[in-house]
Structure formats: C-alpha cells, structure tokens
Amino acid sequence: MEPTEEETPDGLLGWCLVANVARETTRGESGLDIQRGTKHFPVGALLWIPPVRWDPGWGRWRAVGRHRGNGRRYVNMVVRADDLENFRVKGVYSEGLVRSLNGYDHDPTAPRTLQNPWTRERAQSWADGRNDLRESIVIDGQRHTRITVPNPPPAELAVGGEILHLAQYGIRGPHYSRMPPPVEWVPES
C-alpha cells in the first residue's frame, strides 16, 4: 500500500532501506581481528541498500554510501551484512543518490526515477527482520536450524522438557550442551 499524496513529503523520490556501519567489525581467521568500521566506510556511515537484483554472495549486499576517502560522492560497494546495524527506512530526495542506487540501469532521461524501488512496507519488513536477529543453535555438536535464540543467547534454555546449558558462543553461533557446566572448586580457608 503506497502512501497517499498527503502522506508523501515534498521532493520524495522513493523509499530505501538504510543502515549504519557497525562500531566493531570482525576480520581474519575465525573473526578474531576486530576493526573500527570497514575498509571503505567509517564507523556510523549511512549506507543505502537497494533491493537485491543479483546475489553478490552469501551474507553480502550491495550498498551505496559516501566513501571514507571522499565524503562528497556516492560509491557502490558490496559489504558484509554482519558489518551493518540499526536498519531502518528513509526517503530518497537526491538525484545523485538515485543515480548511484540505479547503477547501470540509470536512465539519464529520467534522473529522478528509481528503477527498482522499495515499497515502504517491504523495506520496513527487511529492517525489522535484520534488527531482530536470531541465531540457530548447536546442541552437542549437531545444528538445529528450527530452534533459534536471541543475540546474546541465554545461559540456560529449555527445549523439549530438558535444560540445555550454554557451552560456547562465538562466530559460529551458540553451542549448547546437555551437561551442566563444571563447578569451580574453591579451597576452604
């Protein structure tokens, strides 16, 4: 359902999903190298995410933003979805931004027309889905994709009448065990 003419702000060219670059991003083997921002975008940079027309790879999205080295021009980059946070919907008002969002499909005869626009509701649905991330769990070495937990995961989880205990949490998600955690021995004084 598109907004009526009274609800559409003056100069609005379309809606777009946006996100900010996360404060901490992971790189390297097992994600142990923590960095501030990404190579091309600083922490908190606003990135405009056009609807997916081609898949650049699992967990990666095409994004448009102002480059770390040149804050005046918009650039198209492929970024990791895990490096983004605070997803929301914003209106597009700039012809330069429209040109970057359209990419190769940009029509110079219609500079204010988004070629593949988001609807406000679809973009909001994507934003809500990304902001409420849930992860599938591993129980005693076996992944269970239908059982999900929030991030950060709870220390104990009741599944099918048994209590599972968080054994490990890392980049591969939460690992639970049926065995309770070991009790730390404290010498008597």
Side-chain angles (χ1 to χ4, degrees):
M1 185 163 115
E2 291 296 315
T4 63
E5 209 156 305
E6 296 107 26
E7 297 172 357
T8 304
D10 288 339
L12 180 70
L13 303 176
W15 298 102
C16 193
L17 177 66
V18 298
N20 296 100
V21 174
R23 176 177 297 289
E24 292 182 345
T25 57
T26 59
R27 296 285 179 271
E29 187 176 331
S30 299
L32 296 177
D33 182 20
I34 306 294
Q35 296 179 351
R36 291 183 46 81
T38 67
K39 179 179 179 181
H40 298 286
F41 300 109
V43 172
L46 180 67
L47 297 184
W48 302 79
I49 303 163
V52 177
R53 296 187 84 177
W54 51 272
D55 186 8
W58 186 84
R60 298 179 189 279
W61 294 344
R62 185 175 147 242
V64 173
R66 297 186 190 271
H67 197 273
R68 186 186 285 266
N70 181 358
R72 295 181 358 172
R73 296 185 65 194
Y74 288 107
V75 294
N76 277 288
M77 295 283 171
V78 175
V79 296
R80 291 179 355 156
D82 292 340
D83 292 345
L84 304 177
E85 64 185 10
N86 191 19
F87 289 83
R88 59 201 182 280
V89 179
K90 285 189 81 164
V92 177
Y93 294 91
S94 161
E95 285 183 27
L97 181 56
V98 168
R99 185 172 35 255
S100 293
L101 288 170
N102 287 342
Y104 291 114
D105 294 334
H106 185 66
D107 182 7
T109 61
R112 299 174 56 84
T113 304
L114 280 168
Q115 299 300 327
N116 184 25
W118 286 97
T119 62
R120 189 174 193 173
E121 291 76 20
R122 183 170 164 233
Q124 187 63 52
S125 173
W126 272 63
D128 293 343
R130 282 303 297 189
N131 287 333
D132 183 31
L133 283 181
R134 297 184 62 83
E135 299 181 88
S136 62
I137 66 171
V138 176
I139 301 173
D140 292 331
Q142 184 176 10
R143 181 155 304 274
H144 294 270
T145 56
R146 292 199 171 132
I147 304 172
T148 60
V149 294
N151 185 354
E156 291 185 345
L157 183 67
V159 175
E162 59 183 336
I163 301 294
L164 303 174
H165 307 276
L166 183 63
Q168 174 187 353
Y169 182 57
I171 62 167
R172 304 236 186 263
H175 291 248
Y176 283 88
S177 173
R178 289 180 173 88
M179 299 291 295
V183 178
E184 184 177 336
W185 179 75
V186 179
E188 294 179 19
S189 307

